[in-house]
Amino acid sequence: MSSHQLDRSIPIPLYYQMKQWLMSEIEKGIYKPGQIIPSERELSEQFQISRMTVRQALKELMNEGHLIREQGKGTFIAEPKLNQRLSQLTSFSEDMRNRGLEPDAQVLETSVINHAPAHVSIALHLDGDHTILKIKRLRLANKQPMAIETSFLPLSLFSGLEKKNFTSESIYRVLENEFALQLLFAKQTIEAGFPTKDEEHLLGISKGTSVMRIERVTYMQEGIPFEFVSSVYRGDRYKFEMELHR
Ligand code: GLP
């Protein structure tokens, strides 16, 4: 920890100055992801400010995803968020590998269903009874939970897909290599939300951490929709980037 004094002569609140100091320590790499920071008591002594003031600075840094508090253990520097560009149609596996992370999945459910939920049938342009493969996976990067993805894929397009094991296999890779699928484009919506108890547990996030709910319909050659995916991404690990033109 570098020594630093807060400036009481300027009209910038002390909690904000402390917050800026901690942010610059993180940016300079003096504090690294996973490292514990001094306790509220130590910080209040070091800066000669009240613990309330320290708490306010730490709370904001936690809300912004820079710090993580672990009950009974202390406050730690968070991993930097993954910046996901939204202009490219990529798979989770590709995204993680491009960042030098190892993608993985824990398959939570694989089922063949005859009656898809109405919104799925509509998205996939299916009328009447269709057999659909539902795969729910917890997606991991370097063994850390990142997202929960529930995919619906019509088996009329991909017969035999239900026999595959998607623990370490990428769905897109299998579809491209074994079913000659050409990924064309996707339509996606993103909503902010709070996780359910189950999602909190699966993602290993603390109460109050926000999530992003993403729905994607992906299209193949001839503009045929081939997957409907509903996912829950960790709000503390992701930020989305898009390029806007005019
Ligand atoms: C991304 C997309 C999903 C898609 C998945 C495929 O996460 N948001 O819509 O189903 O990639 O991932 P993979 O090919 O690694 O199984």
Side-chain angles (χ1 to χ4, degrees), residues 113-133 152-157 224-228:
I113 52 176
N114 290 316
H115 299 282
H119 66 286
V120 175
S121 304
I122 293 170
L124 293 176
H125 299 176
L126 300 175
D127 42 12
D129 283 350
H130 268 89
T131 326
I132 292 189
L133 177 62
F152 296 86
L153 301 135
L155 284 172
S156 51
L157 295 174
I224 300 168
F226 74 90
E227 73 160 359
F228 176 87

Side-chain angles (χ1 to χ4, degrees), residues 200-216:
E200 230 169 65
H201 175 72
L202 284 168
L203 294 171
I205 49 179
S206 53
K207 212 166 165 250
T209 306
S210 61
V211 291
M212 253 98 62
R213 297 191 182 278
I214 304 182
E215 283 190 356
R216 179 190 281 192

